[in-house]
Amino acid sequence: HQQHEEKENAMTTIAASLFTLLLALINGGAMADNLIKTGQWAYLADTVMGGISKGTAQFEDQGIDQAIRLSGEVSTANNGGFIQVRSPVLWEAAKGKTGVKLMVKGNGDQYYLHIRSTNTRLPWHYYQQSFQTNSSWSEVRLPFDAFVNSSSLMRTKLNQNKMKTIGIVAYGKDYSADVSVKSLEFY
């Protein structure tokens, strides 16, 4: 059963990556700033460390836009507690910028943006900032200097010039997650 889930997760990741590559080729440079359209998004859950959270990440049409939707059941059982979708990011894209701007919609719950950098060596190390959702699209701005480190063993402040990945995360409590993001850009 676990091998079947691992194969299914791998296929979801491959399909999402191929779909994202196709979007990038179709949109060309016009959408280069929107990581939802140009990122190489992969779904991850706490099952990689024994947790039991389950979810999916998929692209959905939102009028003329595409959005990535993360949904599922987050469980803190077995030391778990997250589902996420994340993409590598080139730090050069954030050079001279002051934060991350998102267009989000969800079920009214709180979600997180996690950024990993060259300073986050362990899997549970990241910089995070929360954002609230509601049933209509709204813009959220998350300044780099407000991201908080997940461990005292890390540098206190995020250095955006050392970013490696960025993730949209449902995290930290038992709940039904449902969040969509149609734009994720540096500002």
Side-chain angles (χ1 to χ4, degrees):
H1 181 68
Q2 186 176 0
Q3 283 182 330
H4 175 71
E5 282 185 16
E6 288 173 4
K7 285 180 183 177
E8 194 172 280
N9 286 343
M11 292 305 292
T12 301
T13 300
I14 291 167
S17 296
L18 290 173
F19 186 70
T20 304
L21 178 59
L22 179 62
L23 277 175
L25 291 172
I26 291 169
N27 292 322
M31 294 295 170
D33 293 336
N34 184 354
L35 284 173
I36 295 302
K37 300 200 186 249
T38 62
Q40 296 174 0
W41 295 95
Y43 171 81
L44 299 163
D46 57 22
T47 54
V48 299
M49 55 187 224
I52 61 169
S53 298
K54 293 184 189 262
T56 61
Q58 58 195 19
F59 286 100
E60 295 184 347
D61 288 326
Q62 297 291 323
I64 61 168
D65 295 313
Q66 287 284 323
I68 195 160
R69 182 177 184 188
L70 176 67
S71 60
E73 297 298 319
V74 178
S75 171
T76 57
N78 292 347
N79 296 316
F82 75 88
I83 59 174
Q84 74 171 295
V85 60
R86 102 177 150 196
S87 177
V89 63
L90 298 173
W91 66 265
E92 292 93 345
K95 190 173 184 178
K97 308 290 184 173
T98 58
V100 182
K101 176 175 66 170
L102 307 118
M103 286 297 292
V104 301
K105 179 172 84 166
N107 61 357
D109 226 314
Q110 184 177 53
Y111 297 92
Y112 297 86
L113 202 64
H114 284 188
I115 296 178
R116 292 183 46 81
S117 71
T118 57
N119 297 327
T120 55
R121 305 222 190 282
L122 298 172
W124 51 88
H125 287 179
Y126 48 83
Y127 293 90
Q128 80 172 0
Q129 196 171 157
S130 65
F131 61 91
Q132 192 68 37
T133 63
N134 59 54
S135 60
S136 56
W137 289 107
S138 58
E139 182 179 278
V140 174
R141 288 180 177 253
L142 306 174
F144 289 131
D145 62 5
F147 277 80
V148 177
N149 61 351
S150 66
S151 169
S152 61
L153 300 175
M154 298 165 46
R155 293 177 188 257
T156 305
K157 293 291 180 185
L158 167 67
N159 180 347
Q160 74 258 30
N161 293 332
K162 295 188 174 198
M163 282 193 293
K164 292 191 309 187
T165 64
I166 195 161
I168 303 159
V169 186
Y171 165 76
K173 64 182 182 178
D174 297 315
Y175 70 115
S176 293
D178 192 354
V179 60
S180 295
V181 180
K182 69 177 177 179
S183 174
L184 192 155
E185 302 174 3
F186 298 116
Y187 70 89

